[in-house]
Amino acid sequence: NAGVTQTPKFQVLKTGQSMTLQCAQDMNHNSMYWYRQDPGMGLRLIYYSASEGTTDKGEVPNGYNVSRLNKREFSLRLESAAPSQTSVYFCASRGVLRGNQPQHFGDGTRLSIL
Amino acid sequence: DQQVKQNSPSLSVQEGRISILNCDYTNSMFDYFLWYKKYPAEGPTFLISISSIKDKNEDGRFTVFLNKSAKHLSLHIVPSQPGDSAVYFCAASAESSGDKLTFGTGTRLAVRP
């Protein structure tokens, strides 16, 4: 099925370890996004990429880095994981640079940091 | 400062009746509003949207109403079905800020058979 694919689905890390979350979309979308969702909260934007070759900070970027590898792939890296980064991470993509189009989400990566 | 608010964490409705989910926003620059539905262990799925130039948008059993003066939108589901049981997120974006989405905290809908 076409859509947004995230890997891995689950991961447990120790404090201080590094980790890269992968995201790929096959809908030829221009924009891609990384969110985190914590209990009792909505999704919060970490980083986004409006088009290939560009990335920008969102609401909660501290402790993360991103790479827009090509039009299909957008990865999120935790250089030194902290317990506060325990969360569910969602990647999303959207088709047009401007205009009203919805974002389409992957099924998430559940990350626990001990 | 929470710019998109869903003040009801949960809602329970009888099958066949109407479900009404509410959402308030504070940022007057928001010009596009969306509802997403989320099942456990899955990503949010786009449900319906509305542009600020409209006050109503309908898609089958789902209707979204926008009241710009009150900065309020609502999602109506008629008739409600058990498969509609999920968490519903309201989201908003502004073209001036690069179409980034700001989400509410969600409302958990339970439709009783």
Side-chain angles (χ1 to χ4, degrees), chain B residues 3-7 20-26 30 32-36 48-51 54-56 63-76 89-93 102 104:
Chain B
Q3 299 185 64
V4 177
K5 299 177 183 179
Q6 295 177 256
N7 292 318
I20 300 176
L21 293 89
N22 294 304
C23 178
D24 297 294
Y25 62 96
T26 58
F30 287 147
Y32 182 51
F33 304 88
L34 309 90
W35 285 95
Y36 282 86
I48 192 169
S49 64
I50 188 167
S51 166
K54 295 185 175 182
D55 54 18
K56 176 182 175 181
T63 303
V64 56
F65 295 91
L66 176 62
N67 182 333
K68 289 187 290 294
S69 61
K71 294 190 176 65
H72 177 83
L73 66 156
S74 61
L75 174 68
H76 292 209
F89 289 99
C90 169
S93 70
T102 300

Side-chain angles (χ1 to χ4, degrees), chain A residues 40-61:
Chain A
M41 303 184 74
L43 282 74
R44 292 183 293 167
L45 183 64
I46 304 171
Y47 270 94
Y48 68 104
S49 171
S51 61
E52 187 178 355
T54 68
T55 61
D56 286 287
K57 294 178 180 179
E59 181 185 355
V60 288

Side-chain angles (χ1 to χ4, degrees), chain A residues 6-44:
Chain A
Q6 293 184 235
T7 56
K9 294 189 183 304
F10 303 93
Q11 186 69 46
V12 178
L13 293 178
K14 294 181 179 179
T15 297
Q17 287 185 315
S18 62
M19 168 91 191
T20 299
L21 281 61
Q22 307 287 352
C23 175
Q25 52 90 10
D26 57 7
M27 297 175 282
N28 200 35
H29 283 173
N30 292 309
S31 302
M32 297 185 74
Y33 309 82
W34 276 105
Y35 294 87
R36 61 178 288 174
Q37 186 192 11
D38 301 297
M41 303 184 74
L43 282 74
R44 292 183 293 167

